[in-house]
Amino acid sequence: MIDLHCHLDLYPDPIKVLDEVVSSGMFVLAVTTTPSAFSGDVARFGGASRVRVAIGLHPELAHSRMSELPLLEHYISLTSYVGEVGLDGSPDFARFSKEQRKAFDLALRSSALRGGRLISIHSRGAAAEVLESLEAHPEAGVPILHWFSGRVSDLKRAIDRGCWFSFGPAAFRSASTRSMVARIPRSRVLTETDGPFAMNRDVPLRPTDVALAEAALAKIWSAPASEVRSQLVENFRDLVGNVKSGHAHDKSGRSYFDH
Ligand code: MN
């Protein structure tokens, strides 16, 4: 199983969650919400062979963390994985669009400068703006739009732009998301949880709950569970292969998800 967007560091019991991840043999991209969290997360989680820590600055926090921009830029030079970054146009955060844009543009510019990164991107209420930024930085790497909820026209543009998409159990509860996922080429879809922010019946999702996302995909694709699983594994290898052509290794030279 694959959880391509999980806030491993925000669980009350991160080491227990990490143990679950390791014993299940699944792959996890542990995204961060602030640059200052990155080094501690690498120390705690970086030893697990199928876990990678991404350097991020969440758009909801960007305005309060402008002082961490140099740190964001610095860590992007050291890792192949960037996230969570992006833009948020929802009512509570649209007023900070200037700061959000500054952080997101820096992340894309730095990624491009380093030959491209795998980037997990938040685009709530700002899909068109995120796509504009991606188009302005075509060398930034491989964008994965996480929990995409834009319009169908934005979706088409994102597919044409080469974006990937990750969806989790919480996203699949929405009928409009399910119909949107049906429009995405199967080869560009991946699973995530966005735990512990995202919940299932008021309980924070844990990485192993991506099984629920696989079940949702089985319905949307009218495919048996085994076929869904193998499609996702194939997608994942393809995604990682894309990054490999650029900078597919972490600081220690390990290639991503050696197995
Ligand atoms: Mn998130």
Side-chain angles (χ1 to χ4, degrees):
M1 294 191 293
I2 299 141
D3 185 350
L4 214 62
H5 184 110
C6 181
H7 298 270
L8 214 48
D9 57 355
L10 299 182
Y11 288 92
D13 52 351
I15 296 306
K16 196 168 164 233
V17 180
L18 180 70
D19 287 345
E20 289 170 15
V21 163
V22 170
S23 60
S24 69
M26 64 183 298
F27 303 108
V28 173
L29 186 65
V31 295
T32 51
T33 55
T34 63
S36 54
F38 181 74
S39 61
D41 284 8
V42 169
R44 277 190 296 175
F45 312 132
S49 66
R50 293 181 170 187
V51 175
R52 289 293 183 276
V53 180
I55 170 69
L57 177 48
H58 197 292
E60 291 178 11
L61 300 177
H63 64 280
S64 63
R65 300 286 181 144
M66 286 287 106
S67 62
E68 293 185 35
L69 291 183
L71 212 50
L72 176 67
E73 190 175 10
H74 172 65
Y75 286 132
I76 289 175
S77 73
L78 301 180
T79 177
S80 299
Y81 315 102
V82 177
E84 177 168 6
V85 294
L87 301 173
D88 189 305
S90 60
D92 288 348
F93 299 103
R95 65 201 157 109
F96 300 119
S97 64
K98 199 176 146 205
E99 291 88 347
Q100 290 182 31
R101 209 170 265 281
K102 200 170 172 190
F104 188 42
D105 281 347
L106 176 67
L108 295 177
R109 207 167 54 241
S110 307
S111 297
L113 198 66
R114 301 291 169 173
R117 297 294 186 240
L118 188 153
I119 313 171
S120 184
I121 301 171
H122 174 114
S123 59
R124 183 174 58 197
E129 291 81 359
V130 162
L131 290 166
E132 271 165 36
S133 294
L134 290 175
E135 283 158 9
H137 299 279
E139 308 298 320
V142 185
I144 305 152
L145 300 178
H146 117 85
W147 200 331
F148 184 78
S149 59
R151 293 171 304 183
V152 171
S153 55
D154 296 326
L155 178 73
K156 282 194 177 132
R157 191 171 157 195
I159 293 167
D160 291 345
R161 166 69 187 81
C163 292
W164 293 66
F165 302 85
S166 59
F167 293 97
F172 284 118
R173 280 202 296 270
S174 149
S176 65
T177 296
R178 293 195 299 271
S179 73
M180 199 159 57
V181 172
R183 294 168 179 267
I184 302 174
R186 290 183 190 190
S187 60
R188 296 273 192 90
V189 175
L190 285 157
T191 48
E192 63 164 52
T193 60
D194 202 13
F197 286 127
M199 308 237 193
N200 183 35
R201 295 194 182 98
D202 296 329
V203 178
L205 288 161
R206 295 167 91 86
T208 47
D209 290 323
V210 287
L212 299 168
E214 292 187 354
L217 283 172
K219 279 192 181 164
I220 293 168
W221 291 344
S222 305
S226 59
E227 197 180 309
V228 171
R229 180 72 61 91
S230 57
Q231 175 78 59
L232 291 170
V233 169
E234 195 181 311
N235 293 354
F236 181 68
R237 287 176 195 274
D238 191 15
L239 175 76
V240 173
N242 264 315
V243 184
K244 264 182 187 155
S245 59
H247 291 259
H249 48 80
D250 61 14
K251 202 181 168 189
S252 66
R254 260 188 327 181
S255 70
Y256 194 26
F257 301 134
D258 276 334
H259 55 281

